[in-house]
């Protein structure tokens, strides 16, 4: 019975993996491009505490929003998440923030989801863009403003948390 349950679990995992791979192929435009993306997913997942499924979903979310997954950005987000109170939740919130910015709008809701996990994103944006909380909400309503916010926030997160995960994994 135990062996039967193990086979069932492996079949379900295999099916989920195939579904994710199919999604990669679709959003990246071909099987070959999906394979290259999967190689990048594996590379990223090996250097972070995130599961391959979580990394794959991040790649799919970014690419489907028209953003080429950038390993430096993803590593910065993983470093940031590693010092938060909810690592996976923070990583996913950062991905959603970038995804929302691509459609031309980033509001306080996305930023508050990250702040609630212990990352002072409003402070970083205030420092980098010289904007108050009310100004941040207005600034993020346009695609141009949201793109500037993502760039400034990614730079600020890299400055504050770059390399944090590697140091933590050494523990």
């Amino acid at each position: 019975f135990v062996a039967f349950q193990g086979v069932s679990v492996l079949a379900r995992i295999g099916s989920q993996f195939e579904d994710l791979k199919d999604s990669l192929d679709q959003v990246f435009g071909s099987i070959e491009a999906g394979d290259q993306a999967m190689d990048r997913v594996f590379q990223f997942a090996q250097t972070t505490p995130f599961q391959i499924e979580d990394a794959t979903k991040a790649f799919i979310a970014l690419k489907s929003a028209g953003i080429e997954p950038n390993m430096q950005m993803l590593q910065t987000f993983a470093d940031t998440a590693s010092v938060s109170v909810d690592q996976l939740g923070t990583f996913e919130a950062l991905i959603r923030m970038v995804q929302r910015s691509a459609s031309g709008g980033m509001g306080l809701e996305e930023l508050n989801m990250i702040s609630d996990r212990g990352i002072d994103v409003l402070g970083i944006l205030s420092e980098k863009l010289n904007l108050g909380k009310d100004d941040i909400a207005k600034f993020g309503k346009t695609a141009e403003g949201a793109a500037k916010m993502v760039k400034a926030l990614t730079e600020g997160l890299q400055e504050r948390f770059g390399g944090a995960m590697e140091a933590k994994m050494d523990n």
Side-chain angles (χ1 to χ4, degrees):
F1 178 71
V2 172
F4 180 74
Q5 281 184 325
V7 169
S8 174
V9 169
L10 288 175
R12 190 172 61 237
I13 290 170
S15 174
Q16 290 171 341
F17 183 78
E18 287 178 25
D19 288 347
L20 289 170
K21 175 62 173 86
D22 288 345
S23 294
L24 280 174
D25 293 347
Q26 287 297 312
V27 297
F28 280 85
S30 70
I31 292 173
E32 294 78 19
D35 289 345
Q36 291 173 354
M38 185 56 78
D39 288 344
R40 292 171 43 213
V41 165
F42 284 144
Q43 178 187 356
F44 177 72
Q46 288 176 2
T47 63
T48 70
F50 302 116
Q51 301 295 318
I52 290 173
E53 179 181 3
D54 301 322
T56 305
K57 287 178 180 178
F59 272 67
I60 292 168
L62 291 173
K63 186 66 174 180
S64 65
I67 300 163
E68 189 64 36
N70 174 313
M71 295 303 278
Q72 183 177 353
M73 176 191 286
L74 291 170
Q75 187 61 52
T76 296
F77 291 173
D79 286 339
T80 302
S82 75
V83 301
S84 73
V85 296
D86 174 10
Q87 291 183 13
L88 180 57
T90 300
F91 181 73
E92 290 172 340
L94 287 162
I95 296 297
R96 275 192 304 276
M97 176 199 66
V98 173
Q99 209 178 1
R100 290 287 302 265
S101 74
S103 63
M106 179 172 31
L108 291 176
E109 181 182 337
E110 290 82 23
L111 298 172
N112 285 335
M113 288 187 335
I114 301 163
S115 291
D116 290 346
R117 290 172 169 86
I119 306 300
D120 183 20
V121 292
L122 296 177
I124 292 170
L125 288 172
S126 176
E127 176 187 307
K128 290 282 187 185
L129 298 174
N130 198 27
L131 298 172
K133 187 175 183 176
D134 292 335
D135 298 326
I136 288 171
K138 292 175 191 169
F139 196 76
K141 287 185 179 181
T142 67
E144 183 181 340
K148 286 180 181 178
M149 287 172 63
V150 168
K151 184 177 186 301
L153 187 57
T154 303
E155 288 173 3
L157 294 172
Q158 175 59 36
E159 290 166 6
R160 289 189 185 188
F161 306 114
M165 186 179 335
E166 186 177 344
K168 201 169 192 178
M169 290 179 87
D170 284 344
N171 290 341

